Amino acid sequence: AESGCNQFVVQARKAWLSGMSPKENRELPELRYDWVYRIKQQQPEWTILLNGGVSSAAEVKAHLQFVDGVMLGRAAYHNPWILVECQQLLDGKWESPDRAEIVCRMQQYCREQTALGVAVKHISRHMLGLFQGLPGARRWRRWISENAHVNDSDYQLLGDAFEHFLAVHPQQNAA
């Protein structure tokens, strides 16, 4: 702050640099959100963003009562739909695209990127969690995982995976 910085992302857990694996360090020691809240109380002119362990839109909303922002890391990677849930919870007027539209848009993006020489597997791996928590999510992930490396220029991979997903769970239709 003395150098002019007024925006801080604060991890709510101490990181042990030795003696623990990275996985263990994500669970121990316990999260201390109260520490982050206290920083904001003591320095209200600073922009404080909380980081660590937040895994739902409801948690984001709860933390925003005490801090200026919340960083989603693993939660957003494993379940990208959480970003839609957060946006809808924070701004009820916002209408998101459905999952089918997202698949369609990403398929077009894959087409553009493969024309530039980017392998589809480098894009599709970030889409694995799109259906997290829905029936058929495992089939979606499995189709992509088993087929992404087969033809690195197959921009239709996501569309094929979605058709495979819908063949077993047509009632989902991108909910």
Side-chain angles (χ1 to χ4, degrees):
E2 290 175 6
S3 68
C5 182
N6 64 0
Q7 186 171 19
F8 303 90
V9 178
V10 183
Q11 173 65 31
R13 177 189 334 259
K14 286 184 179 180
W16 299 101
L17 300 178
S18 62
M20 284 189 178
S21 71
K23 183 180 185 311
E24 291 170 322
N25 212 214
R26 287 191 296 268
E27 299 167 3
L28 296 170
E30 68 184 66
L31 288 161
R32 297 296 310 261
Y33 298 127
D34 58 314
W35 291 354
V36 182
Y37 300 163
R38 195 169 333 124
I39 293 170
K40 180 61 183 177
Q41 287 174 339
Q42 293 172 351
Q43 303 295 334
E45 71 280 5
W46 292 354
T47 300
I48 302 295
L49 293 89
L50 179 138
N51 179 30
V54 180
S55 60
S56 73
E59 289 177 51
V60 169
K61 188 171 184 178
H63 288 302
L64 288 175
Q65 296 176 44
F66 305 101
V67 295
D68 301 298
V70 177
M71 182 180 141
L72 296 173
R74 280 177 197 81
Y77 189 79
H78 295 294
N79 177 15
W81 198 254
I82 192 175
L83 300 174
V84 171
E85 293 168 349
C86 288
Q87 188 66 42
Q88 289 173 336
L89 191 64
L90 299 173
D91 178 11
K93 299 173 226 155
W94 187 72
E95 291 190 32
S96 69
D98 63 21
R99 287 177 174 92
E101 185 176 343
I102 290 170
V103 171
C104 184
R105 289 181 187 182
M106 287 303 295
Q107 191 174 359
Q108 179 58 37
Y109 178 74
C110 285
R111 173 182 247 163
E112 294 164 4
Q113 293 303 302
T114 56
L116 298 172
V118 176
V120 171
K121 65 185 174 191
H122 297 308
I123 300 168
S124 63
R125 67 184 175 138
H126 301 291
M127 298 291 295
L128 291 173
L130 182 61
F131 294 97
Q132 182 67 28
L134 296 178
R138 179 177 291 168
R139 292 182 63 83
W140 162 262
R141 288 190 308 269
R142 187 173 183 178
W143 180 267
I144 293 172
S145 297
E146 290 178 354
N147 293 284
H149 69 284
V150 174
N151 179 351
D152 283 343
S153 63
D154 185 3
Y155 64 86
Q156 296 181 49
L157 173 75
L158 296 176
D160 293 343
F162 188 58
E163 287 179 23
H164 185 70
F165 169 82
L166 287 178
V168 176
H169 300 283
Q171 72 279 11
Q172 289 301 315
N173 197 24

